[in-house]
Amino acid sequence: MKIILLGPPGAGKGTQAALLVEKYSIPQISTGDMLRTAVQAQSPMGIEAKKHMDAGGLVPDSVVVGIVRERLQNDDCQKGFILDGFPRTRPQADSLKQVLKELGQELDSVISLQVDIDALVERLTGRRTCVDCGKGFHLRFDPPAQDGTCRFCGGELSQRDDDREETIRNRMKVYQQQTAPLEDYYREEGLLVTVDGMGEILKVHRAIIEALQDC
Ligand code: AMP
């Protein structure tokens, strides 16, 4: 199963990708996660990427295409993969097509998660992650322990730098301008399926599975 999860920041791509990893035993390829790892490691690529990420902008196409190209060549991607947060621009989508052609692979489906803008801002501003175990929480929908620490390991919680309100607004603008047009791109390829991303996590998961069964 070779899938792209498309949708604005906060649409639930990461959450749904994690459930699909369990269901299909295929890897999640999150460019956001890979870039954050590079930022933490303070590699030259991470230092460059951080400037764009902190401003809510996009990391240059050549950088993200390079990391995805390398990742897709790993053996664990033979059976399938879930692309989460990639592609985000038309040149990225064109490059992905080229890379998959070189690897003799084809996409099965592009799932576009539909979520209202107000819900997106609420989801993103309330998002917190445990610095120790990496578990994600939401201050309103999945609260941490009462003292504000991780319910699982007691670790400290942190907010992603780019989940602050000013940055979120820029991320939304960038999404509308550069990523939303990919819906038409994949519709023309006959791969796009839209799924209502507003409901409960498991309800959205079931809708995705149903959509994938039809493709
Ligand atoms: P995400 O975790 O997917 O929300 O990504 C966080 C940030 O990483 C984005 O706001 C971008 O700055 C950067 N990023 C992630 N994926 C891409 C991509 N495909 N192209 C460019 N920048 C990206």
Side-chain angles (χ1 to χ4, degrees), residues 35 58 74 116 120 157 178 186 195 198 209:
L35 289 167
L58 293 183
N74 281 12
D116 293 349
L120 293 175
L157 301 184
Q178 306 214 48
Y186 286 116
V195 169
M198 285 294 291
I209 301 296

Side-chain angles (χ1 to χ4, degrees), residues 8-10 13 30-36 49-61 64-65 67-68 84-89 92 124 127 160 162-163 167 171 174 179:
K13 299 186 296 295
S30 159
T31 41
D33 285 350
M34 291 193 277
L35 289 167
R36 278 184 288 278
K50 187 172 177 355
K51 292 185 223 154
H52 302 281
M53 294 168 81
D54 285 353
L58 293 183
V59 174
D61 289 336
V64 269
V65 168
I67 56 179
V68 171
D84 155 14
F86 180 93
R88 263 175 153 100
T89 64
Q92 289 182 19
L124 291 170
R127 198 154 74 164
R160 268 172 56 171
D162 60 352
D163 276 348
T167 316
R171 289 167 70 197
V174 168
T179 311

Side-chain angles (χ1 to χ4, degrees), residues 72 81 96-107:
L72 284 175
F81 49 79
L96 175 65
K97 201 189 277 184
Q98 182 59 33
V99 171
L100 291 177
K101 196 168 155 204
E102 286 163 22
L103 295 171
Q105 298 191 346
E106 268 182 31
L107 289 171

Side-chain angles (χ1 to χ4, degrees), residues 1-4 24 106-111 190-193 207-215:
M1 190 69 76
K2 294 161 186 119
I3 315 164
I4 293 176
Y24 295 111
E106 268 182 31
L107 289 171
D108 292 301
S109 187
V110 177
I111 304 281
L191 289 170
L192 190 84
V193 184
I208 293 176
I209 301 296
E210 224 166 87
L212 291 173
Q213 274 158 1
D214 293 340
C215 73

Side-chain angles (χ1 to χ4, degrees), residues 46 69 71 90 99 117 119 154 163-164 201 211:
R69 176 187 285 276
R71 182 67 185 84
R90 166 101 201 208
V99 171
I117 179 92
D163 276 348
R164 299 178 203 281
I201 291 172

Side-chain angles (χ1 to χ4, degrees), residues 33 39 42 48 69 81 93-94 97 135 149 200 203:
D33 285 350
V39 170
Q42 298 192 326
E48 170 63 21
R69 176 187 285 276
F81 49 79
D94 287 339
K97 201 189 277 184
K135 177 89 180 81
T149 58
E200 291 276 303
K203 190 175 141 222

